[in-house]
């Protein structure tokens, strides 16, 4: 691995200053970044550790049901936090579904959202789109774990479980940089992820995710996360689903394993599930409609069936009747 400088930030201003260097990148737990450096797909010269910034590890639950989760909150802390488990069960379940206990102990929320795709062509250093070539090698190659809803050249999927729950809960991110603090929807954070080789998030140079913001509407109701994997012990999702019926009855659902960013279930399906009173035929019809725009590649058609199976189960759990 190439040599690098480690910078431990003691404040937000210090991190912003350190990240103005074009060869510096944010560091969370390092569980993805250091591996990517060893794989020669990341070449930073300075790693700016965000974990000691005051508030970076704080879980702030507000009285109105909203929350602010610091960027360096550990995945394990999300999974085990009593308040998160009670208010945002889908997020706690998604965090508990991440990798192994070691990864959950080291991995942070910001790093989990900004981690790079696990595509074997990309990680193997092959000449694919994310490695600077013109085409995605998975399009006609080994694409068993690639996406169904691809919005660009790259067919990889985002590996994060928490991202799926945060999408269903309509979370946003707080982004900090030299020009101040701004708030982005998750859709805006990942806009154009499959069309950009160098990274998936839309952060400007020097910016970092300083917090994840959950709206009051994300708290309570019926919510859960379900993840399908090729093997039971630990793995990335082939397909996953987060579902939430809010206390006002509104249903929001999101898939994982199907695209390189947040992937909300077709809003017209969400609306019909919100209305409820679904019989078996209407559940089947809605599961079909949700996958109408899916574009399977040669080896990943099974994901359509997995997504529909998860959706049918979720609709039965969410239907209040
Ligand atoms: C074997 C293995 C299995 C895994 N399984 C799963 C799984 O099942 N589900 C899942 O969700 N994840 C899984 N992961 C991913 C793991 O959860 C991530 O590695 C971890 O969440 C990344 O967090 P980190 O804090 O270590 O990030 P780091 O490695 O520190 O950083 C990752 C990337 O994000 C950037 N970054 C870090 N913090 C910020 C920030 N605040 N703002 C902007 N950019 C930032 C870094 O510069 C780097 O590019 C797995 C990883 C491995 C190695």
């Amino acid at each position: 691995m190439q040599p690098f400088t480690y910078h431990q930030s003691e404040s937000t201003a210090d991190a912003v200053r350190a990240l103005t260097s074009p060869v510096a990148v944010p560091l969370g737990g390092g569980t993805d970044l250091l591996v990517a450096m060893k794989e020669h797909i990341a070449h930073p010269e300075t790693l700016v550790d965000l974990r000691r910034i005051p508030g970076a590890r704080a879980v702030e639950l507000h009285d109105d049901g909203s929350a602010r989760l610091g960027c360096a909150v550990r995945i394990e802390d999300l999974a085990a936090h009593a308040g998160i488990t009670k208010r945002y069960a889908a997020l706690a379940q998604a965090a508990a579904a991440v990798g192994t206990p070691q990864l959950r102990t080291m991995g942070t929320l910001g790093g989990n959202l900004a981690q790079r795709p696990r595509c074997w062509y990309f990680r193997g250093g092959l000449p694919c789109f994310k490695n600077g070539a013109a085409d995605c090698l998975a399009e006609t190659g080994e694409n068993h774990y690639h996406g169904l809803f691809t919005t660009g050249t790259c067919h990889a999927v985002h590996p994060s479980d928490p991202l799926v729950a945060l999408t269903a809960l309509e979370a946003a991110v707080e982004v900090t940089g030299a020009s101040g603090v701004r708030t982005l929807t998750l859709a805006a954070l990942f806009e154009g992820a499959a069309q950009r080789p160098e990274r998936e998030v839309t952060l400007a140079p020097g910016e970092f995710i300083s917090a994840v913001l959950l709206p009051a509407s994300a708290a309570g109701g019926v919510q859960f996360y379900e993840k399908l994997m090729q093997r039971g012990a630990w793995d990335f999702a082939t397909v996953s689903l987060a579902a939430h019926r809010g206390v006002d009855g509104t249903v929001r659902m999101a898939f994982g394993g199907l695209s390189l960013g947040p992937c909300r279930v077709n809003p017209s399906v969400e609306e019909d599930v919100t209305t409820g009173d679904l019989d078996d035929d209407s559940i089947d019809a809605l599961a079909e409609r949700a996958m109408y725009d899916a574009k399977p590649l040669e080896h990943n058609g099974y994901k359509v069936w997995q997504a529909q199976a998860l959706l049918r189960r979720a609709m039965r759990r969410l239907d209040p009747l």
Side-chain angles (χ1 to χ4, degrees):
M1 185 164 63
Q2 69 182 70
F4 62 87
T5 305
Y6 172 78
H7 178 92
Q8 188 170 279
S9 296
E10 301 292 344
S11 69
T12 299
D14 179 43
V16 167
R17 224 176 1 257
L19 285 167
T20 54
S21 160
V23 293
V25 296
L27 174 71
T31 58
D32 183 43
L33 181 56
L34 292 171
V35 178
M37 290 168 71
K38 285 185 187 158
E39 291 170 334
H40 306 290
I41 56 167
H43 314 278
E45 290 175 20
T46 304
L47 309 191
V48 180
D49 195 336
L50 307 175
R51 291 172 291 182
R52 290 270 181 95
I53 296 175
R57 290 227 135 129
V59 171
E60 295 169 28
L61 301 179
H62 306 137
D63 288 345
D64 66 354
S66 65
R68 182 182 188 280
L69 312 176
C71 65
V73 169
R74 280 186 277 245
I75 303 296
E76 182 54 32
D77 293 340
L78 287 178
H81 192 284
I84 303 254
T85 309
K86 189 163 171 224
R87 281 191 185 191
Y88 316 111
L91 178 58
Q93 290 165 19
V98 169
T100 61
Q102 291 91 335
L103 285 163
R104 294 194 293 274
T105 301
M106 287 303 292
T108 64
L109 181 55
N112 185 270
L113 295 178
Q115 64 175 300
R116 304 300 314 274
R118 307 302 302 188
C119 169
W120 39 45
Y121 294 113
F122 171 53
R123 293 279 172 167
L126 288 151
C128 75
F129 178 70
K130 286 283 178 188
N131 281 329
D135 300 317
C136 172
L137 295 174
E139 190 163 353
T140 52
E142 295 290 326
N143 46 43
H144 304 70
Y145 302 115
H146 291 75
L148 298 178
F149 296 111
T150 301
T151 55
T153 304
C154 175
H155 290 268
V157 298
H158 199 286
S160 169
D161 293 298
L163 174 63
V164 187
L166 292 170
T167 303
L169 298 176
E170 300 193 301
V173 289
E174 178 194 282
V175 168
T176 299
S179 45
V181 179
R182 61 192 180 114
T183 302
L184 288 179
T185 62
L186 290 173
L189 180 68
F190 288 98
E191 170 101 54
Q195 298 155 15
R196 219 178 9 258
E198 65 281 8
R199 59 180 170 176
E200 290 61 56
V201 286
T202 56
L203 301 177
E207 279 188 325
F208 63 94
I209 298 165
S210 39
V212 168
L213 309 172
L214 284 154
S217 58
V222 180
Q223 50 178 280
F224 51 88
Y225 180 72
E226 203 178 342
K227 174 177 180 180
L228 300 179
M229 301 178 283
Q230 198 197 20
R231 52 182 186 177
W234 62 265
D235 209 341
F236 296 96
T238 50
V239 182
S240 64
L241 179 85
H244 180 216
R245 182 184 283 283
V247 288
D248 68 351
T250 307
V251 169
R252 297 279 179 259
M253 296 184 286
F255 285 124
L258 301 187
S259 80
L260 196 49
C263 184
R264 272 278 288 277
V265 171
N266 179 332
S268 81
V269 172
E270 290 180 333
E271 266 172 44
D272 286 353
V273 184
T274 297
T275 307
D277 197 12
L278 303 173
D279 60 20
D280 285 349
D281 287 343
S282 44
I283 284 175
D284 286 345
L286 287 172
E288 286 282 326
R289 199 203 299 164
M291 301 310 290
Y292 185 76
D293 293 326
K295 294 197 172 43
L297 301 164
E298 188 181 354
H299 303 293
N300 68 356
Y302 73 96
K303 287 194 174 197
V304 175
W305 301 102
Q306 289 196 329
Q308 288 173 332
L310 286 179
L311 258 183
R312 280 195 291 268
R313 275 214 288 270
M315 287 189 262
R316 292 194 171 93
R317 282 176 76 176
L318 289 171
D319 199 332
L321 297 176

